[in-house]
Amino acid sequence: MSHITPAERVRLAGLLEETARNCWATLATDPRAARQPQWTPQTGARLLAYLDCLLLWRTRTSLVATEVPEEIVVRHIADSLAVAALVPPGARVADIGSGAGLPGLPLAVACPDAQILLVEPRRKRATFLREAVRAAGATNAAVAEARVEKLAPEEAGGIAVIVSRAFGPLADYLEAVAPLAARGAPGCRIVAMKGPRGPAEAAALAEQHGTPVLLRYDLPGRDERVLLVYEGASEV
């Protein structure tokens, strides 16, 4: 049962498409972009199916702070789609601490040729993720109910992009994913999704972890968003 009326679906689909396209217009022109993401009617329909699932499960467990569909579309789903420009065709991507499926599940919809691993150790959230994967028809997404350091070898090997949206302090994230990156595909990228304080957080860790590429983009009604991209992590 949908929590969204037909009229709301049309409006939300338009808002989601417009916001995602604006993000891609900024990020997909960067020299480090790995693809030019494409929007289709199926993209919007599958993401709204995911939104329906998220709204239903929000009444059972804590997934996102807001229950307003417009805010979820912009602040969470469209924000997650920004990373699509950094996903190489056919790549394996690990979303660490996926929680509500952000950014991994929107990425699975936007990058249907990629393989997305949603890493989430909390059982209730992992159960939600399996249902959300089915709802969105994301056959290229799988759920790993484990901490990142406990991933099975077949899950951990060959990852090309490691990403997290709400892991916590950058230092903790980089330390946690370093072994996974070391086993990753050549040129494995570590991406941290941050707000305006992200560059200062990265600068404080530059001596230990190097200086990431900073990719900035804007979302309606939000402070500046920043992707911290650590290139070639598997080779360090």
Side-chain angles (χ1 to χ4, degrees), residues 32-204:
R32 285 154 290 267
R35 71 168 67 219
Q36 300 292 317
Q38 301 298 314
W39 186 274
T40 69
Q42 185 182 32
T43 304
R46 291 171 66 190
L47 289 171
L48 289 181
Y50 163 57
L51 174 62
D52 272 333
C53 187
L54 187 58
L55 289 171
L56 173 63
W57 275 73
R58 189 186 175 280
T59 64
R60 306 175 186 176
T61 186
S62 175
L63 293 168
V64 292
T66 180
E67 62 182 5
V68 180
E70 291 86 350
E71 292 188 15
I72 296 174
V73 161
V74 174
R75 295 174 63 88
H76 298 295
I77 299 178
D79 188 32
S80 297
L81 290 170
V83 186
L86 299 178
V87 177
R92 296 195 68 223
V93 179
D95 172 16
I96 308 302
S98 189
L102 304 164
L105 210 152
L107 288 179
V109 173
C111 306
D113 56 281
Q115 296 297 315
I116 313 296
L117 185 65
L118 308 175
V119 182
E120 174 52 57
R122 291 162 290 188
R123 173 154 298 181
K124 187 174 287 188
R125 294 192 178 193
T127 300
F128 159 74
L129 288 173
R130 295 185 184 98
E131 181 59 31
V133 165
R134 288 192 290 270
T139 57
N140 59 325
V143 179
E145 188 178 329
R147 297 177 64 86
V148 61
E149 64 270 19
K150 299 293 186 180
L151 287 175
E154 63 271 18
E155 295 172 320
I159 299 292
V161 180
I162 301 169
V163 63
S164 185
R165 189 167 176 269
F167 189 93
L170 180 61
D172 293 348
Y173 171 55
L174 295 176
E175 181 179 353
V177 302
L180 180 61
R183 290 180 286 176
C188 177
R189 284 175 165 170
I190 298 175
V191 182
M193 304 183 70
K194 293 287 184 176
R197 292 190 294 272
E201 196 177 1

